[in-house]
């Protein structure tokens, strides 16, 4: 059995919190994202000699504009603040937004040429279209769940 990294546990907990609070759209965006914890040399300002810790949310390009909204960032920062466990060395001071690299699959054609296709591109587009639609939350949840299953 392999041990799960702190970032993976953090992401899993964040997803559980979003799901528990019925934050369906954010859940589906964050589910396609990555988390990296950065420890900085700057002081946190919370406890004497405690350094800063940032949570970087690496978001797919298509969803970055949605997350880069003051209210959404503030909401995510509050969740991350609740999840991050401060210790004597590091204290949570905020989130940063990053971008995930596209996941690509190289497929060899019979002609010997290779083409590059973004992995799960169709499902990510469907989720993106659903975010901006007039559908009910139940319909959106079903589409998100179907896309998640297909991507796994």
């Amino acid at each position: 059995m392999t041990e799960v990294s702190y970032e993976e546990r953090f992401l899993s907990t964040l997803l559980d919190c979003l799901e528990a609070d019925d934050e369906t759209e954010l859940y589906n965006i964050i589910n396609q994202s990555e988390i990296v914890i950065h420890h900085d040399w700057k002081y946190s300002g919370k406890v004497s000699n405690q350094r800063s810790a940032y949570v970087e949310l690496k978001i797919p390009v298509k969803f970055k504009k949605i997350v880069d909204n003051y209210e959404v960032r503030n909401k995510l920062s509050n969740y991350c603040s609740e999840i991050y466990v401060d210790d004597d060395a590091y204290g949570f001071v905020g989130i940063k937004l990053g971008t995930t690299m596209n996941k690509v699959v190289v497929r060899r054609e019979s002609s010997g040429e290779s083409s590059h296709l973004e992995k799960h591109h169709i499902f990510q587009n469907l989720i993106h279209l659903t975010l901006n639609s007039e559908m009910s939350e139940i319909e959106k949840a079903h589409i998100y769940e179907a896309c998640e299953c297909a991507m796994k």
Side-chain angles (χ1 to χ4, degrees):
M1 189 184 284
T2 58
E3 190 171 325
V4 178
S5 72
Y6 184 81
E7 282 90 352
E8 290 171 317
R9 289 178 27 229
F10 194 100
L11 179 60
S12 177
T13 306
L14 178 57
L15 289 169
D16 286 348
C17 290
L18 292 169
E19 185 175 36
D21 290 346
D22 291 326
E23 293 286 351
T24 308
E25 292 177 350
L26 272 179
Y27 174 91
N28 288 295
I29 292 171
I30 299 302
N31 195 36
Q32 297 180 54
S33 304
E34 299 171 14
I35 287 186
V36 179
I37 307 294
H38 294 284
H39 294 116
D40 199 325
W41 61 271
K42 296 177 186 172
Y43 292 112
S44 69
K46 294 178 170 183
V47 177
S48 180
N49 293 328
Q50 184 185 55
R51 303 296 181 173
S52 299
Y54 294 92
V55 173
E56 182 180 12
L57 300 171
K58 292 189 169 275
I59 310 291
V61 175
K62 293 177 183 168
F63 305 119
K64 199 164 181 189
K65 190 174 183 179
I66 295 168
V67 176
D68 198 13
N69 168 298
Y70 176 77
E71 291 176 16
V72 175
R73 282 180 75 131
N74 193 40
K75 186 181 293 186
L76 286 170
S77 183
N78 289 338
Y79 281 112
C80 291
S81 176
E82 289 177 14
I83 297 167
Y84 188 87
V85 179
D86 288 356
D87 58 21
D88 291 338
Y90 293 98
F92 176 80
V93 293
I95 64 171
K96 293 181 179 182
L97 292 183
T99 304
T100 58
M101 291 177 63
N102 290 336
K103 296 169 178 74
V104 295
V105 174
V106 178
R107 191 177 285 166
R108 300 282 177 201
E109 302 294 333
S110 59
S111 65
E113 296 178 22
S114 57
S115 61
H116 299 272
L117 302 171
E118 186 176 338
K119 188 176 181 183
H120 307 307
H121 183 70
I122 294 169
F123 303 114
Q124 289 174 345
N125 280 344
L126 183 56
I127 289 172
H128 189 337
L129 289 171
T130 304
L131 284 172
N132 299 321
S133 74
E134 299 288 324
M135 292 180 198
S136 72
E137 290 302 312
I138 292 172
E139 290 171 317
K140 287 181 182 182
H142 286 293
I143 291 173
Y144 295 145
E145 189 173 336
C147 288
E148 281 181 36
C149 289
M151 288 188 287
K152 289 181 182 176

